[in-house]
Amino acid sequence: MKSAHLSSDHLSAAHAIPPLSALLAFERAATHLSFRRAAQELAITPSAVSHQIRGLEERFGVRLFARAGRSVRLTPDGERYLRAAAAGLSLLDEAGRDLHRRGRGGPRELRVSSLPFFTSAVLIPALATFARRHPDLTLHIEATHQYADFDSAGVDVAIRYGRERAAGLRLEPLANVYSQPVCAPRLARAGLKTPADLSRHVLIHVAQQPQSWPAWLKEMNLPSLEPRGHLWFDAVPAALDAAEQGLGVALAMHPLIRGRSGFGTRLVMPFEGRGQRTSTLYFVCRPEQAADRRISAFRRWLIEAVRQASGG
């Protein structure tokens, strides 16, 4: 490789520390062993990633990647530099986030992205306990079905379904849940005894989960069941409120539905309708922030809140 690099004895700090854009490109490409995936995460082109890495190699006079066709692997020098670069970027990330938190009113804040139903059934009933234990920590909770944006939205932790869009994040299983029909007691008493009886009732849907009822009915071997009608809402809590008012039958997240106020009295399970399909809820954060005291405190409380909501 042609280069005009200086010896380590004469390497200035300005030359030894490359531009941040080059470090980010190298760290992402080295982590994924893919220039394309690095480009996607950094919102630049693969050729721009390649250009940044080539600049690093020319700056230091070593090869960081061994290229073979479309695949790449790290050289021994690349592996050593990745360890140092990742550690340095992690320190910079935490320092920047600390400054950002201070700039918006103090370091004792935590921004949480949570599913609407999880927020209403698990978080809100247990928030008083959290406030007593951590009176100096302010929570900012966004109840949303959208995936949390850890890069631009300032989210610290999230509760979400599934492992999609998990690159660069730490996911810890919180609970396995399944869909269970629920309704007002008067509907249950009026002859709603089996899944087939749903043909005489209105099914309440959630726009963000349009396949929930079809999937559940298929599991019950009733894929062609035609209900009396349909009612749609944009979020699970509203769908459950409608079911509680006797407007139809909704699907709830069992066993977490047990944590909803009024479950067992104003909202009941008319029959046991558990299918084979389960979904996993995850606690999500950045791996470099997992040991953050704010996040550790929230995680400990959250695990207890999930257990209480599940009836444990």
Side-chain angles (χ1 to χ4, degrees), residues 36 49 69 72 90 141-142 161 166 198 208 212 221 234 240 242 245 252 257 278 284 295:
R36 180 182 59 81
V49 172
V72 295
S90 176
I141 300 174
E142 180 186 20
Y161 274 128
L198 289 169
Q208 298 286 344
S212 293
N221 296 315
D234 65 347
L240 295 175
Q245 295 298 317
I257 185 61
T278 62
V284 188
I295 293 175

Side-chain angles (χ1 to χ4, degrees), residues 130-189:
F130 185 87
R132 285 195 300 270
R133 294 179 184 176
H134 308 284
D136 59 336
L137 183 54
T138 300
L139 297 181
H140 296 261
I141 300 174
E142 180 186 20
T144 176
H145 287 286
Q146 301 299 317
Y147 279 99
D149 189 339
F150 281 79
D151 294 320
S152 62
V155 172
D156 296 303
V157 300
I159 295 94
R160 63 161 61 158
Y161 274 128
R163 303 186 64 89
E164 290 85 357
R165 305 184 195 180
L169 298 173
R170 180 179 184 270
L171 276 70
E172 177 182 350
L174 273 178
N176 291 321
V177 297
Y178 62 90
S179 295
Q180 167 67 49
V182 293
C183 65
R186 64 181 178 84
L187 291 190
R189 291 193 298 267

Side-chain angles (χ1 to χ4, degrees), residues 11-18 23 56 59-60 81:
L11 197 63
S12 68
H15 197 82
I17 302 175
L23 279 177
L56 286 176
R59 174 184 289 258
F60 298 125
Y81 196 57

Side-chain angles (χ1 to χ4, degrees), residues 51-106:
H51 176 77
Q52 295 279 16
I53 291 170
R54 186 163 58 249
L56 286 176
E57 292 177 328
E58 291 176 353
R59 174 184 289 258
F60 298 125
V62 298
R63 288 198 178 278
L64 300 172
F65 288 91
R67 298 161 177 83
R70 293 188 176 182
S71 64
V72 295
R73 61 177 176 81
L74 286 169
T75 64
D77 285 324
E79 291 176 353
R80 284 192 292 273
Y81 196 57
L82 173 61
R83 289 193 291 270
L89 287 171
S90 176
L91 288 173
L92 284 173
D93 178 81
E94 181 56 34
R97 289 176 182 278
D98 181 65
L99 288 174
H100 186 57
R101 288 192 296 268
R102 291 177 185 277
R104 46 180 207 215

Side-chain angles (χ1 to χ4, degrees), residues 182-211:
V182 293
C183 65
R186 64 181 178 84
L187 291 190
R189 291 193 298 267
L192 183 52
K193 303 297 183 183
T194 70
D197 295 331
L198 289 169
S199 62
R200 300 193 300 273
H201 295 272
V202 173
L203 299 188
I204 302 175
H205 303 263
V206 177
Q208 298 286 344
Q209 303 163 358
Q211 294 304 312

Side-chain angles (χ1 to χ4, degrees), residues 274-293:
R274 177 175 181 172
Q276 296 300 312
R277 280 200 334 157
T278 62
S279 299
T280 301
L281 286 170
Y282 291 93
F283 174 76
V284 188
C285 67
R286 290 177 177 273
E288 63 270 20
Q289 289 189 293
D292 183 301
R293 285 184 296 178

Side-chain angles (χ1 to χ4, degrees), residues 252-272:
M253 191 187 297
H254 196 276
L256 297 182
I257 185 61
R258 296 181 181 277
R260 178 183 165 90
S261 176
F263 179 77
T265 55
R266 300 190 303 271
L267 195 67
V268 299
M269 297 188 303
F271 49 77
E272 187 69 35

